[in-house]
Amino acid sequence: YCFRGLKVNILLSGLCWLLSLLSYVGDSWRFLQYAGIGAVFFGLPPVAMKAYLTMRRCQFDANCMMVTAALGSLALGEYDEAASVSFLFSISEWLEARATKKARRA
């Protein structure tokens, strides 16, 4: 599903990322750091699929690095960092696809 061309999974990833950033407001908001897991859950699968297909060709690209960075951040308990990587890379992928589409039409 799309909302004005932006996929819903990216929007949900961004919402979870913003919630995870609120964990820095104070100690009583610290529990919101776990919203970063939601951002990874919604933002990482498309990137992970591209990384998987790249690895099957015995290659390594930016998708592979982003998946490694997100999973490493989760393993270290840095949920907001994992959320940042997942959401921002998903947005960059969307912007790249949009720019390519417009360039092809020109």
Side-chain angles (χ1 to χ4, degrees), residues 2-42:
C2 293
F3 176 74
R4 296 187 183 196
L6 193 60
K7 293 182 180 178
V8 174
N9 69 314
I10 297 173
L11 290 172
L12 291 173
S13 178
L15 178 65
C16 291
W17 176 58
L18 289 174
L19 284 174
S20 74
L21 291 179
L22 288 175
S23 68
Y24 289 107
V25 171
D27 286 337
S28 61
W29 293 68
R30 196 71 188 147
F31 69 95
L32 287 175
Q33 70 179 349
Y34 299 108
I37 297 171
V40 174
F41 178 77
F42 290 115

Side-chain angles (χ1 to χ4, degrees), residues 39-54:
V40 174
F41 178 77
F42 290 115
L44 200 62
V47 177
M49 181 55 83
K50 289 180 183 179
Y52 172 72
L53 294 174
T54 301

